PDB file of all heavy atoms in Angstrom:
ATOM      1  N   MET A  47      83.058 123.550  79.566  1.00 87.00           N
ATOM      2  CA  MET A  47      84.492 123.737  79.585  1.00 87.00           C
ATOM      3  C   MET A  47      84.940 124.548  80.792  1.00 87.00           C
ATOM      4  O   MET A  47      86.054 124.418  81.285  1.00 87.00           O
ATOM      5  CB  MET A  47      84.934 124.422  78.272  1.00 87.00           C
ATOM      6  CG  MET A  47      86.396 124.818  78.242  1.00 87.00           C
ATOM      7  SD  MET A  47      87.517 123.423  78.475  1.00 87.00           S
ATOM      8  CE  MET A  47      87.439 122.667  76.869  1.00 87.00           C
ATOM      9  N   ALA A  93      89.610 129.489  74.640  1.00 85.00           N
ATOM     10  CA  ALA A  93      89.601 129.807  73.198  1.00 85.00           C
ATOM     11  C   ALA A  93      89.538 128.558  72.336  1.00 85.00           C
ATOM     12  O   ALA A  93      89.367 128.658  71.106  1.00 85.00           O
ATOM     13  CB  ALA A  93      90.870 130.604  72.830  1.00 85.00           C
ATOM     14  N   GLY A  94      89.632 127.374  72.947  1.00 81.00           N
ATOM     15  CA  GLY A  94      89.559 126.134  72.158  1.00 81.00           C
ATOM     16  C   GLY A  94      90.836 125.818  71.424  1.00 81.00           C
ATOM     17  O   GLY A  94      90.793 125.077  70.418  1.00 81.00           O
ATOM     18  N   GLU A  95      91.986 126.326  71.870  1.00 83.00           N
ATOM     19  CA  GLU A  95      93.242 126.079  71.195  1.00 83.00           C
ATOM     20  C   GLU A  95      93.842 124.734  71.618  1.00 83.00           C
ATOM     21  O   GLU A  95      93.513 124.215  72.680  1.00 83.00           O
ATOM     22  CB  GLU A  95      94.226 127.201  71.526  1.00 83.00           C
ATOM     23  CG  GLU A  95      93.796 128.570  71.016  1.00 83.00           C
ATOM     24  CD  GLU A  95      94.828 129.630  71.376  1.00 83.00           C
ATOM     25  OE1 GLU A  95      95.957 129.261  71.733  1.00 83.00           O
ATOM     26  OE2 GLU A  95      94.476 130.817  71.272  1.00 83.00           O
ATOM     27  N   ASN A  96      94.715 124.216  70.803  1.00 83.00           N
ATOM     28  CA  ASN A  96      95.408 122.964  71.064  1.00 83.00           C
ATOM     29  C   ASN A  96      96.545 123.220  72.056  1.00 83.00           C
ATOM     30  O   ASN A  96      97.423 124.022  71.773  1.00 83.00           O
ATOM     31  CB  ASN A  96      95.925 122.354  69.766  1.00 83.00           C
ATOM     32  CG  ASN A  96      96.406 120.936  69.949  1.00 83.00           C
ATOM     33  OD1 ASN A  96      96.721 120.494  71.059  1.00 83.00           O
ATOM     34  ND2 ASN A  96      96.474 120.194  68.863  1.00 83.00           N
ATOM     35  N   THR A  98      98.369 120.619  73.426  1.00 82.00           N
ATOM     36  CA  THR A  98      99.259 119.425  73.498  1.00 82.00           C
ATOM     37  C   THR A  98     100.620 119.719  72.913  1.00 82.00           C
ATOM     38  O   THR A  98     100.781 120.519  71.984  1.00 82.00           O
ATOM     39  CB  THR A  98      98.604 118.251  72.765  1.00 82.00           C
ATOM     40  OG1 THR A  98      98.413 118.581  71.406  1.00 82.00           O
ATOM     41  CG2 THR A  98      97.271 117.883  73.382  1.00 82.00           C
ATOM     42  N   TYR A 202      82.889 109.791  73.279  1.00 89.00           N
ATOM     43  CA  TYR A 202      82.936 111.173  73.696  1.00 89.00           C
ATOM     44  C   TYR A 202      81.738 111.954  73.215  1.00 89.00           C
ATOM     45  O   TYR A 202      81.135 112.751  73.953  1.00 89.00           O
ATOM     46  CB  TYR A 202      84.216 111.839  73.183  1.00 89.00           C
ATOM     47  CG  TYR A 202      85.505 111.230  73.702  1.00 89.00           C
ATOM     48  CD1 TYR A 202      86.685 111.303  72.935  1.00 89.00           C
ATOM     49  CD2 TYR A 202      85.582 110.610  74.924  1.00 89.00           C
ATOM     50  CE1 TYR A 202      87.872 110.767  73.390  1.00 89.00           C
ATOM     51  CE2 TYR A 202      86.746 110.035  75.378  1.00 89.00           C
ATOM     52  CZ  TYR A 202      87.906 110.119  74.608  1.00 89.00           C
ATOM     53  OH  TYR A 202      89.078 109.589  75.055  1.00 89.00           O
ATOM     54  N   ASP A 208      79.507 120.121  74.441  1.00 83.00           N
ATOM     55  CA  ASP A 208      80.408 121.267  74.329  1.00 83.00           C
ATOM     56  C   ASP A 208      81.552 120.870  73.395  1.00 83.00           C
ATOM     57  O   ASP A 208      82.366 120.004  73.689  1.00 83.00           O
ATOM     58  CB  ASP A 208      80.979 121.625  75.698  1.00 83.00           C
ATOM     59  CG  ASP A 208      81.660 122.978  75.707  1.00 83.00           C
ATOM     60  OD1 ASP A 208      82.268 123.335  74.644  1.00 83.00           O
ATOM     61  OD2 ASP A 208      81.632 123.670  76.738  1.00 83.00           O
ATOM     62  N   HIS A 209      81.606 121.564  72.196  1.00 85.00           N
ATOM     63  CA  HIS A 209      82.605 121.170  71.180  1.00 85.00           C
ATOM     64  C   HIS A 209      84.006 121.418  71.687  1.00 85.00           C
ATOM     65  O   HIS A 209      84.978 120.794  71.211  1.00 85.00           O
ATOM     66  CB  HIS A 209      82.340 121.933  69.884  1.00 85.00           C
ATOM     67  CG  HIS A 209      82.624 123.386  69.989  1.00 85.00           C
ATOM     68  ND1 HIS A 209      81.688 124.288  70.468  1.00 85.00           N
ATOM     69  CD2 HIS A 209      83.725 124.115  69.688  1.00 85.00           C
ATOM     70  CE1 HIS A 209      82.192 125.502  70.459  1.00 85.00           C
ATOM     71  NE2 HIS A 209      83.420 125.420  69.983  1.00 85.00           N
ATOM     72  N   ARG A 210      84.206 122.346  72.655  1.00 87.00           N
ATOM     73  CA  ARG A 210      85.569 122.587  73.185  1.00 87.00           C
ATOM     74  C   ARG A 210      86.053 121.399  73.992  1.00 87.00           C
ATOM     75  O   ARG A 210      87.255 121.051  73.929  1.00 87.00           O
ATOM     76  CB  ARG A 210      85.555 123.857  74.034  1.00 87.00           C
ATOM     77  CG  ARG A 210      85.241 125.126  73.242  1.00 87.00           C
ATOM     78  CD  ARG A 210      85.094 126.310  74.195  1.00 87.00           C
ATOM     79  NE  ARG A 210      84.010 126.123  75.108  1.00 87.00           N
ATOM     80  CZ  ARG A 210      83.690 126.968  76.080  1.00 87.00           C
ATOM     81  NH1 ARG A 210      84.425 128.047  76.296  1.00 87.00           N
ATOM     82  NH2 ARG A 210      82.655 126.726  76.875  1.00 87.00           N
ATOM     83  N   ILE A 211      85.181 120.765  74.717  1.00 88.00           N
ATOM     84  CA  ILE A 211      85.596 119.552  75.493  1.00 88.00           C
ATOM     85  C   ILE A 211      85.889 118.419  74.524  1.00 88.00           C
ATOM     86  O   ILE A 211      86.881 117.673  74.695  1.00 88.00           O
ATOM     87  CB  ILE A 211      84.490 119.153  76.481  1.00 88.00           C
ATOM     88  CG1 ILE A 211      84.260 120.251  77.530  1.00 88.00           C
ATOM     89  CG2 ILE A 211      84.821 117.823  77.146  1.00 88.00           C
ATOM     90  CD1 ILE A 211      83.197 119.902  78.546  1.00 88.00           C
ATOM     91  N   LEU A 212      85.043 118.251  73.511  1.00 88.00           N
ATOM     92  CA  LEU A 212      85.298 117.192  72.532  1.00 88.00           C
ATOM     93  C   LEU A 212      86.609 117.424  71.827  1.00 88.00           C
ATOM     94  O   LEU A 212      87.382 116.463  71.581  1.00 88.00           O
ATOM     95  CB  LEU A 212      84.128 117.178  71.505  1.00 88.00           C
ATOM     96  CG  LEU A 212      82.773 116.737  72.078  1.00 88.00           C
ATOM     97  CD1 LEU A 212      81.671 117.100  71.116  1.00 88.00           C
ATOM     98  CD2 LEU A 212      82.776 115.269  72.366  1.00 88.00           C
ATOM     99  N   ARG A 213      86.927 118.646  71.479  1.00 87.00           N
ATOM    100  CA  ARG A 213      88.188 118.943  70.780  1.00 87.00           C
ATOM    101  C   ARG A 213      89.353 118.693  71.710  1.00 87.00           C
ATOM    102  O   ARG A 213      90.388 118.147  71.275  1.00 87.00           O
ATOM    103  CB  ARG A 213      88.163 120.408  70.338  1.00 87.00           C
ATOM    104  CG  ARG A 213      89.446 120.832  69.637  1.00 87.00           C
ATOM    105  CD  ARG A 213      89.332 122.227  69.075  1.00 87.00           C
ATOM    106  NE  ARG A 213      88.261 122.227  68.072  1.00 87.00           N
ATOM    107  CZ  ARG A 213      87.690 123.349  67.627  1.00 87.00           C
ATOM    108  NH1 ARG A 213      88.033 124.507  68.096  1.00 87.00           N
ATOM    109  NH2 ARG A 213      86.754 123.270  66.703  1.00 87.00           N
ATOM    110  N   LEU A 214      89.206 119.053  72.989  1.00 88.00           N
ATOM    111  CA  LEU A 214      90.293 118.830  73.967  1.00 88.00           C
ATOM    112  C   LEU A 214      90.579 117.327  74.127  1.00 88.00           C
ATOM    113  O   LEU A 214      91.741 116.886  74.133  1.00 88.00           O
ATOM    114  CB  LEU A 214      89.904 119.427  75.294  1.00 88.00           C
ATOM    115  CG  LEU A 214      90.904 119.249  76.461  1.00 88.00           C
ATOM    116  CD1 LEU A 214      92.198 120.001  76.145  1.00 88.00           C
ATOM    117  CD2 LEU A 214      90.313 119.762  77.758  1.00 88.00           C
ATOM    118  N   LEU A 215      89.521 116.512  74.229  1.00 88.00           N
ATOM    119  CA  LEU A 215      89.723 115.076  74.386  1.00 88.00           C
ATOM    120  C   LEU A 215      90.393 114.472  73.140  1.00 88.00           C
ATOM    121  O   LEU A 215      91.252 113.598  73.272  1.00 88.00           O
ATOM    122  CB  LEU A 215      88.378 114.403  74.638  1.00 88.00           C
ATOM    123  CG  LEU A 215      87.703 114.727  75.971  1.00 88.00           C
ATOM    124  CD1 LEU A 215      86.283 114.182  75.999  1.00 88.00           C
ATOM    125  CD2 LEU A 215      88.511 114.171  77.131  1.00 88.00           C
ATOM    126  N   LYS A 216      90.017 114.957  71.984  1.00 86.00           N
ATOM    127  CA  LYS A 216      90.628 114.425  70.761  1.00 86.00           C
ATOM    128  C   LYS A 216      92.063 114.856  70.617  1.00 86.00           C
ATOM    129  O   LYS A 216      92.888 114.098  70.095  1.00 86.00           O
ATOM    130  CB  LYS A 216      89.804 114.850  69.561  1.00 86.00           C
ATOM    131  CG  LYS A 216      88.399 114.279  69.576  1.00 86.00           C
ATOM    132  CD  LYS A 216      87.638 114.597  68.325  1.00 86.00           C
ATOM    133  CE  LYS A 216      86.241 113.974  68.421  1.00 86.00           C
ATOM    134  NZ  LYS A 216      85.492 114.123  67.157  1.00 86.00           N
ATOM    135  N   ASP A 217      92.366 116.065  71.105  1.00 85.00           N
ATOM    136  CA  ASP A 217      93.770 116.494  71.071  1.00 85.00           C
ATOM    137  C   ASP A 217      94.649 115.600  71.943  1.00 85.00           C
ATOM    138  O   ASP A 217      95.809 115.339  71.651  1.00 85.00           O
ATOM    139  CB  ASP A 217      93.859 117.939  71.541  1.00 85.00           C
ATOM    140  CG  ASP A 217      93.336 118.911  70.507  1.00 85.00           C
ATOM    141  OD1 ASP A 217      93.243 118.539  69.328  1.00 85.00           O
ATOM    142  OD2 ASP A 217      93.008 120.061  70.872  1.00 85.00           O
ATOM    143  N   PHE A 218      94.090 115.132  73.049  1.00 85.00           N
ATOM    144  CA  PHE A 218      94.840 114.273  73.936  1.00 85.00           C
ATOM    145  C   PHE A 218      95.047 112.865  73.342  1.00 85.00           C
ATOM    146  O   PHE A 218      96.045 112.217  73.603  1.00 85.00           O
ATOM    147  CB  PHE A 218      94.166 114.161  75.313  1.00 85.00           C
ATOM    148  CG  PHE A 218      94.363 115.352  76.168  1.00 85.00           C
ATOM    149  CD1 PHE A 218      93.281 115.926  76.871  1.00 85.00           C
ATOM    150  CD2 PHE A 218      95.613 115.928  76.334  1.00 85.00           C
ATOM    151  CE1 PHE A 218      93.476 117.044  77.678  1.00 85.00           C
ATOM    152  CE2 PHE A 218      95.785 117.051  77.133  1.00 85.00           C
ATOM    153  CZ  PHE A 218      94.749 117.595  77.807  1.00 85.00           C
ATOM    154  N   VAL A 219      94.063 112.417  72.585  1.00 83.00           N
ATOM    155  CA  VAL A 219      94.148 111.094  71.987  1.00 83.00           C
ATOM    156  C   VAL A 219      95.097 111.110  70.795  1.00 83.00           C
ATOM    157  O   VAL A 219      95.947 110.233  70.624  1.00 83.00           O
ATOM    158  CB  VAL A 219      92.764 110.570  71.561  1.00 83.00           C
ATOM    159  CG1 VAL A 219      92.880 109.278  70.763  1.00 83.00           C
ATOM    160  CG2 VAL A 219      91.883 110.373  72.772  1.00 83.00           C
ATOM    161  N   ILE A 220      94.962 112.147  69.920  1.00 75.00           N
ATOM    162  CA  ILE A 220      95.816 112.261  68.750  1.00 75.00           C
ATOM    163  C   ILE A 220      96.460 113.666  68.751  1.00 75.00           C
ATOM    164  O   ILE A 220      95.879 114.600  68.181  1.00 75.00           O
ATOM    165  CB  ILE A 220      95.037 112.091  67.435  1.00 75.00           C
ATOM    166  CG1 ILE A 220      94.197 110.817  67.503  1.00 75.00           C
ATOM    167  CG2 ILE A 220      95.977 112.005  66.255  1.00 75.00           C
ATOM    168  CD1 ILE A 220      93.369 110.586  66.273  1.00 75.00           C
ATOM    169  N   TYR A 224      94.207 116.927  65.021  1.00 41.00           N
ATOM    170  CA  TYR A 224      92.816 117.408  65.026  1.00 41.00           C
ATOM    171  C   TYR A 224      92.724 118.730  64.299  1.00 41.00           C
ATOM    172  O   TYR A 224      93.543 119.626  64.500  1.00 41.00           O
ATOM    173  CB  TYR A 224      92.361 117.594  66.479  1.00 41.00           C
ATOM    174  CG  TYR A 224      90.898 117.919  66.590  1.00 41.00           C
ATOM    175  CD1 TYR A 224      89.934 116.942  66.452  1.00 41.00           C
ATOM    176  CD2 TYR A 224      90.522 119.232  66.856  1.00 41.00           C
ATOM    177  CE1 TYR A 224      88.624 117.255  66.572  1.00 41.00           C
ATOM    178  CE2 TYR A 224      89.179 119.559  66.978  1.00 41.00           C
ATOM    179  CZ  TYR A 224      88.245 118.561  66.840  1.00 41.00           C
ATOM    180  OH  TYR A 224      86.904 118.876  66.951  1.00 41.00           O
ATOM    181  N   PRO A 225      91.732 118.938  63.444  1.00 40.00           N
ATOM    182  CA  PRO A 225      91.584 120.188  62.691  1.00 40.00           C
ATOM    183  C   PRO A 225      91.092 121.327  63.603  1.00 40.00           C
ATOM    184  O   PRO A 225      89.905 121.535  63.759  1.00 40.00           O
ATOM    185  CB  PRO A 225      90.550 119.869  61.609  1.00 40.00           C
ATOM    186  CG  PRO A 225      89.737 118.734  62.189  1.00 40.00           C
ATOM    187  CD  PRO A 225      90.683 117.963  63.069  1.00 40.00           C
ATOM    188  N   THR A 226      92.020 122.048  64.238  1.00 38.00           N
ATOM    189  CA  THR A 226      91.646 123.062  65.220  1.00 38.00           C
ATOM    190  C   THR A 226      90.912 124.241  64.605  1.00 38.00           C
ATOM    191  O   THR A 226      90.229 124.973  65.303  1.00 38.00           O
ATOM    192  CB  THR A 226      92.921 123.585  65.920  1.00 38.00           C
ATOM    193  OG1 THR A 226      93.844 124.074  64.930  1.00 38.00           O
ATOM    194  CG2 THR A 226      93.600 122.474  66.706  1.00 38.00           C
ATOM    195  N   ALA A 227      91.040 124.469  63.294  1.00 36.00           N
ATOM    196  CA  ALA A 227      90.350 125.585  62.687  1.00 36.00           C
ATOM    197  C   ALA A 227      88.856 125.311  62.545  1.00 36.00           C
ATOM    198  O   ALA A 227      88.090 126.219  62.300  1.00 36.00           O
ATOM    199  CB  ALA A 227      90.953 125.872  61.319  1.00 36.00           C
ATOM    200  N   THR A 228      88.441 124.060  62.653  1.00 38.00           N
ATOM    201  CA  THR A 228      87.053 123.718  62.472  1.00 38.00           C
ATOM    202  C   THR A 228      86.250 123.981  63.750  1.00 38.00           C
ATOM    203  O   THR A 228      86.651 123.566  64.828  1.00 38.00           O
ATOM    204  CB  THR A 228      86.900 122.234  62.104  1.00 38.00           C
ATOM    205  OG1 THR A 228      87.673 121.993  60.948  1.00 38.00           O
ATOM    206  CG2 THR A 228      85.457 121.858  61.837  1.00 38.00           C
ATOM    207  N   THR A 229      85.166 124.663  63.638  1.00 38.00           N
ATOM    208  CA  THR A 229      84.313 124.955  64.770  1.00 38.00           C
ATOM    209  C   THR A 229      82.914 124.320  64.639  1.00 38.00           C
ATOM    210  O   THR A 229      82.184 124.260  65.594  1.00 38.00           O
ATOM    211  CB  THR A 229      84.164 126.464  64.992  1.00 38.00           C
ATOM    212  OG1 THR A 229      83.618 127.037  63.820  1.00 38.00           O
ATOM    213  CG2 THR A 229      85.477 127.100  65.315  1.00 38.00           C
ATOM    214  N   ASN A 230      82.577 123.886  63.457  1.00 42.00           N
ATOM    215  CA  ASN A 230      81.272 123.291  63.229  1.00 42.00           C
ATOM    216  C   ASN A 230      81.333 121.819  63.661  1.00 42.00           C
ATOM    217  O   ASN A 230      82.037 121.027  63.050  1.00 42.00           O
ATOM    218  CB  ASN A 230      80.885 123.380  61.723  1.00 42.00           C
ATOM    219  CG  ASN A 230      79.481 122.907  61.458  1.00 42.00           C
ATOM    220  OD1 ASN A 230      78.965 122.061  62.150  1.00 42.00           O
ATOM    221  ND2 ASN A 230      78.878 123.524  60.479  1.00 42.00           N
ATOM    222  N   TRP A 231      80.576 121.454  64.688  1.00 39.00           N
ATOM    223  CA  TRP A 231      80.660 120.103  65.214  1.00 39.00           C
ATOM    224  C   TRP A 231      80.136 119.069  64.233  1.00 39.00           C
ATOM    225  O   TRP A 231      80.618 117.951  64.191  1.00 39.00           O
ATOM    226  CB  TRP A 231      79.896 120.026  66.531  1.00 39.00           C
ATOM    227  CG  TRP A 231      79.852 118.628  67.080  1.00 39.00           C
ATOM    228  CD1 TRP A 231      78.769 117.881  67.405  1.00 39.00           C
ATOM    229  CD2 TRP A 231      80.965 117.784  67.345  1.00 39.00           C
ATOM    230  NE1 TRP A 231      79.120 116.668  67.847  1.00 39.00           N
ATOM    231  CE2 TRP A 231      80.463 116.568  67.834  1.00 39.00           C
ATOM    232  CE3 TRP A 231      82.349 117.936  67.228  1.00 39.00           C
ATOM    233  CZ2 TRP A 231      81.295 115.508  68.182  1.00 39.00           C
ATOM    234  CZ3 TRP A 231      83.153 116.879  67.573  1.00 39.00           C
ATOM    235  CH2 TRP A 231      82.638 115.691  68.042  1.00 39.00           C
ATOM    236  N   VAL A 234      82.942 118.334  62.026  1.00 44.00           N
ATOM    237  CA  VAL A 234      83.951 117.594  62.730  1.00 44.00           C
ATOM    238  C   VAL A 234      83.566 116.115  62.865  1.00 44.00           C
ATOM    239  O   VAL A 234      84.355 115.195  62.663  1.00 44.00           O
ATOM    240  CB  VAL A 234      84.204 118.188  64.131  1.00 44.00           C
ATOM    241  CG1 VAL A 234      85.107 117.311  64.963  1.00 44.00           C
ATOM    242  CG2 VAL A 234      84.782 119.585  64.007  1.00 44.00           C
TER     243      VAL A 234
END
Side-chain angles (χ1 to χ4, degrees):
M47 174 58 77
E95 298 180 13
N96 191 339
T98 60
Y202 298 152
D208 193 327
H209 69 276
R210 294 174 298 176
I211 296 180
L212 292 166
R213 178 173 298 165
L214 178 65
L215 292 172
K216 295 185 179 187
D217 288 340
F218 284 134
V219 173
I220 311 178
Y224 186 78
T226 56
T228 303
T229 57
N230 187 330
W231 174 237
V234 171

